[in-house]
Amino acid sequence: MLNIVIFGAPGSGKGTQSARIVEKYGLNHISTGDVLRAEIKNGTELGKTAKGYIDNGQLIPDALMIDILASVFDSFKDSKGVIFDGFPRTIAQAEALKKMLKERGQEVSIMLDLEVPEDELMTRLIKRGQESGRADDNEETIKKRLVVYHSQTAPLIDWYKNDGKYCHIQGLGTMEGIFADICAAIDKL
Ligand code: ATP
């Protein structure tokens, strides 16, 4: 199985590039953000809990996130592989993912880090908020999400370098150009 982690700050294009990877390589897509937004839309208990964190630009607690991830992953048994989009976001989540895959005789194949400058992230997210009405894409919440990204999520770059899975992708450029770089990295596996 191909187990790809797509990584980057909010607005780095994880969702957009994931859709293309899914289409080309026939993988299943696990977007933890999409999972949580669906729970909110359906008004579940989990959705109610998640909304408080998301609207405030904070991360959902690790234990909860790890449980959700494992159950979604197990629903994709016997597939060609999975793309993890938005997970892991903390060191504890990365360790849990490694353990979960190991218990299933698998591992992360590659971690693709989409790097985009901060001013560009802000521009993209504000535009997305205006177009889609996503509640957490407003300037105040975006700033909080970027702080959380730098303090809790960015340390995963070194974590994956140490694990030998890290791959840098220049996230600025045309969508086609970025996708071509991603495919080149995946095809080398
Ligand atoms: P994109 O790169 O697609 O623009 P994003 O970072 O803007 O992604 P999502 O991945 O959709 O947005 O996440 C939205 C929110 O959901 C996060 O700000 C966080 O509150 C919550 N969330 C998503 N995944 C996790 C996770 N793995 N751990 C904790 N919270 C999460």
Side-chain angles (χ1 to χ4, degrees):
M1 269 177 83
L2 260 181
N3 292 306
I4 299 174
V5 171
I6 189 145
F7 182 89
S12 56
K14 300 185 292 283
T16 309
Q17 295 297 336
S18 292
R20 293 173 166 236
I21 300 169
V22 163
E23 200 189 354
K24 175 160 181 187
Y25 296 93
L27 305 182
N28 289 113
H29 183 201
I30 303 181
S31 160
T32 45
D34 286 351
V35 169
L36 296 170
R37 280 185 290 276
E39 296 284 336
I40 293 172
K41 200 171 161 216
N42 294 331
T44 64
E45 277 309 308
L46 170 59
K48 284 177 198 154
T49 306
K51 190 174 177 358
Y53 292 100
I54 293 178
D55 287 353
N56 205 19
Q58 303 300 310
L59 298 181
I60 276 72
D62 284 333
L64 190 55
M65 236 26 253
I66 290 164
D67 278 354
I68 297 171
L69 197 272
S71 70
V72 179
F73 182 78
D74 284 334
S75 71
F76 291 137
K77 261 188 212 136
D78 308 320
S79 74
K80 274 191 183 168
V82 167
I83 175 143
F84 297 94
D85 166 7
F87 189 101
R89 261 182 156 92
T90 62
I91 302 266
Q93 291 182 14
E95 283 168 352
L97 178 61
K98 185 168 183 162
K99 182 165 170 268
M100 184 196 81
L101 290 175
K102 198 172 172 203
E103 283 164 2
R104 291 157 178 77
Q106 297 182 49
E107 61 177 11
V108 165
S109 315
I110 194 168
M111 185 268 219
L112 302 167
D113 175 23
L114 286 174
E115 197 196 346
V116 174
E118 195 112 345
D119 53 345
E120 171 71 9
L121 294 172
M122 191 57 103
T123 309
R124 288 186 190 178
L125 290 168
I126 287 174
K127 186 160 172 252
R128 184 169 76 183
Q130 286 163 350
E131 286 168 359
S132 72
R134 217 176 102 168
D136 58 344
D137 285 340
N138 63 74
E139 195 166 343
E140 194 193 337
T141 311
I142 294 166
K143 281 188 182 147
K144 287 188 196 162
R145 285 157 64 201
L146 290 172
V147 169
V148 167
Y149 171 76
H150 288 295
S151 62
Q152 300 192 56
T153 307
L156 286 174
I157 293 174
D158 280 341
W159 194 92
Y160 276 104
K161 281 182 184 166
N162 285 330
D163 210 34
K165 307 293 184 192
Y166 181 83
C167 175
H168 176 265
I169 301 283
Q170 170 62 259
L172 206 55
T174 65
M175 280 201 260
E176 286 69 28
I178 299 164
F179 185 57
D181 290 347
I182 288 176
C183 292
I186 295 176
D187 291 340
K188 263 195 248 158
L189 292 171

